[in-house]
Amino acid sequence: MLFSVADLPVCDGCVRAKSCVKHSTRPRRRRATTPLERIHFDLGFSSRPGLHGQVGFLLAVDEATEKIFIRFIRQKSDTFAVLTALRLELETHFALKIGECSSPERPAHKLRGLRSDSSAENKSDVIREWCAENGIFHEFDQRALLTVAEWSC
C-alpha cells in the first residue's frame, strides 16, 4: 500500500521549522554611519570574581565601525563611572584614529547615542541626567546585545 506525504502525521517541531519568520512592524531605524553616532552597550556578570575582584564587564560596540570595547567592573553600581570614562576614551580614540584636531573640551567625534537593554542600572537617574546634560540620546531595547550581525538587519 502506498502512502502520500499528506497522510503522514506532522510533528510540532517540523511545523515550526518550516514556518515563515514574522518581520517586525516597527519602522527600520537608520544604521549609524559615523563613529560614536550610536554605541550599543550591555553588562555581563560571572559567578566567580576575576584576578582583581571584577565580577562583571561592560561591553560596548560602536555601530558604525563595529569596534568592540570591554571594561571590567567590580559591581553594577560602577556602571556610570565606567561609562563616563569610556566616553572620554572613545572620543579621544576616534579623534586620533581619524587624525582630526580636537581637544577634550571639543572632540572631533562626540558620543551622540547609546543603546542598551532596559535593566535598572541602565535606567538610573544618574545615567539619565548625564545623557541629558551631554546631549546623548539613550534608547532602550527589550533584548540584550546578541551579535553585531543582528544590528546590520
Side-chain angles (χ1 to χ4, degrees), residues 56-148:
F57 61 90
L58 184 139
L59 172 72
V61 181
D62 179 60
E63 185 176 298
T65 63
E66 297 182 350
K67 287 194 176 282
I68 299 170
F69 303 89
I70 298 174
R71 298 297 174 267
F72 294 102
I73 58 176
R74 292 178 194 260
Q75 52 198 12
K76 282 187 177 183
S77 60
D78 294 344
T79 302
F80 175 69
V82 171
L83 198 57
T84 54
L86 183 63
R87 172 193 169 214
L88 293 174
E89 185 180 332
L90 292 178
E91 288 176 351
T92 304
H93 169 79
F94 285 112
L96 294 174
K97 196 78 169 165
I98 296 170
E100 296 178 357
C101 296
S102 66
S103 66
E105 297 82 30
R106 191 172 170 176
H109 288 284
K110 189 175 174 218
L111 180 61
R112 292 185 285 180
L114 285 175
R115 187 170 192 186
S116 64
D117 60 7
S118 299
S119 60
E121 63 272 5
N122 297 339
K123 287 186 160 186
S124 70
D125 290 338
V126 177
I127 291 179
R128 187 177 42 78
E129 290 168 7
W130 175 73
C131 287
E133 288 170 8
N134 292 288
I136 300 169
F137 177 70
H138 191 179
E139 61 183 311
F140 299 99
D141 192 358
Q142 299 305 319
R143 303 162 293 165
L145 294 178
L146 296 174
T147 63
V148 174

